[in-house]
Amino acid sequence: MAEIERSQRVRARPGRQQADAAFAAVRRYGPTMAERVEGSSRLDSRQRWARGLCRAMGRIEIAGLEHIPSTGPVLLAVNHQSFMDGALLIGFVGRVVSCVVKLEAFIPVGGRVGRVLVEGAQIPVLRGEVDPAPVRLSLDILRAGGVLGVFPEGSRGDGQVRLIRPGVGYFALKTGATVVPVAIHGSAAVTHRAGVRRPTVRMVVGEPMAFDRMTELPLPRAQWRATAETIRVALADLVADSATRHSAREAA
């Protein structure tokens, strides 16, 4: 009985061993850095699959994609309500997006979902502690000129962005990447969907934000926390504005 209880706890809260296994899979089966930046036929197929999945689950509306630079490092800061949020980024942004995703989604690491995420350029992170491997990979992607997607609220919630984790500010200042806020509405309704009517899911891309890269070592914690708060305010404002528009369209 004790062994069963321990096994259940391991599945509920992945640990360091599983995080290491997930990153071993990323190194072995994941895209190369060149593929993460320039794309590949394999990643193109993943993007098509993600678009198809999203369209099967809801009526998709996208606005503001022109705000995402076509080249250079981009940090997408996204509110988070549903597992569908990552699929929207992957399927509709137009560039390869490597999203930082909770480790639980990759368990079992060798399972079908885990392999799809790994091969689709996603990055497993062990929540609740500083996990250096995904931090290093995320920084490398941005320094190489790729696109990184983060959900700075840290977990799914109501998506109102009242609080965020400061790591998004660290990434912005450490790399000088263009920060683009992204507001998603309606994805939670997909999870709690009742009946046959597909809910409308809307993704709105906001105006890009520029931050100067800092070379000071160590990077001042107060500085990147302040930058994270600037990003939070911009994202929260975009969420509130696009939520009002989304509600008005749904009521019409």
Side-chain angles (χ1 to χ4, degrees):
M1 181 63 71
E3 184 63 32
I4 293 174
E5 290 175 352
R6 281 196 296 271
S7 176
Q8 289 172 339
R9 286 197 298 270
V10 167
R11 285 197 297 270
R13 296 193 62 182
R16 171 51 49 196
Q17 186 174 5
Q18 289 167 307
D20 291 344
F23 255 88
V26 167
R27 288 189 291 268
R28 182 172 182 180
Y29 302 111
T32 65
M33 188 59 67
E35 288 176 317
R36 289 180 185 273
V37 177
E38 302 295 336
S40 66
S41 57
R42 177 174 66 161
L43 290 173
D44 286 345
S45 68
R46 295 298 185 193
Q47 290 171 329
R48 289 192 297 271
W49 180 86
R51 285 196 297 273
L53 174 65
C54 290
R55 286 171 173 154
M57 297 171 67
R59 295 175 294 170
I60 308 301
E61 296 180 354
I62 309 290
L65 286 178
E66 68 276 6
H67 293 150
I68 299 177
S70 58
T71 59
V74 175
L75 178 59
L76 301 176
V78 192
N79 68 321
H80 199 21
Q81 294 182 309
S82 164
F83 70 90
M84 186 180 182
D85 300 334
L88 286 165
L89 297 179
I90 296 164
F92 292 96
V93 163
R95 295 179 62 183
V96 177
V97 181
S98 297
C99 291
V100 178
V101 180
K102 65 180 181 179
L103 176 61
E104 289 90 333
F106 292 77
I107 304 300
V109 173
R112 177 176 296 181
V113 174
R115 285 292 293 267
V116 167
L117 291 173
V118 166
E119 293 174 2
Q122 308 315 293
I123 304 171
V125 62
L126 179 60
R127 298 185 296 174
E129 64 178 74
V130 176
D131 197 354
V135 171
R136 286 194 296 266
L137 178 55
S138 297
L139 291 172
D140 287 345
I141 290 168
L142 292 173
R143 287 166 175 157
V147 181
L148 180 71
V150 297
F151 303 99
E153 292 168 287
S155 61
R156 299 175 197 165
D158 63 8
Q160 299 303 303
V161 203
R162 296 179 182 88
L163 295 171
I164 66 171
R165 298 187 179 183
V168 64
Y170 179 84
F171 287 140
L173 294 182
K174 193 73 174 175
T175 65
T178 299
V179 178
V180 180
V182 181
I184 296 176
H185 297 283
S187 61
V190 170
T191 306
H192 305 292
R193 173 178 166 187
V196 297
R197 184 176 181 272
R198 293 183 304 155
T200 298
V201 181
R202 182 170 173 81
M203 183 171 80
V204 180
V205 181
E207 296 281 350
M209 308 170 67
F211 298 95
D212 292 333
R213 184 172 70 88
M214 295 185 66
T215 58
E216 183 177 346
L217 294 175
L219 201 62
R221 182 179 294 269
Q223 190 71 36
W224 46 275
R225 284 184 177 276
T227 300
E229 176 61 14
T230 300
I231 295 169
R232 186 200 69 78
V233 171
L235 179 56
D237 288 347
L238 179 66
V239 167
D241 180 67
S242 53
T244 299
R245 296 173 185 270
H246 180 78
S247 298
R249 290 173 66 90
E250 285 290 279

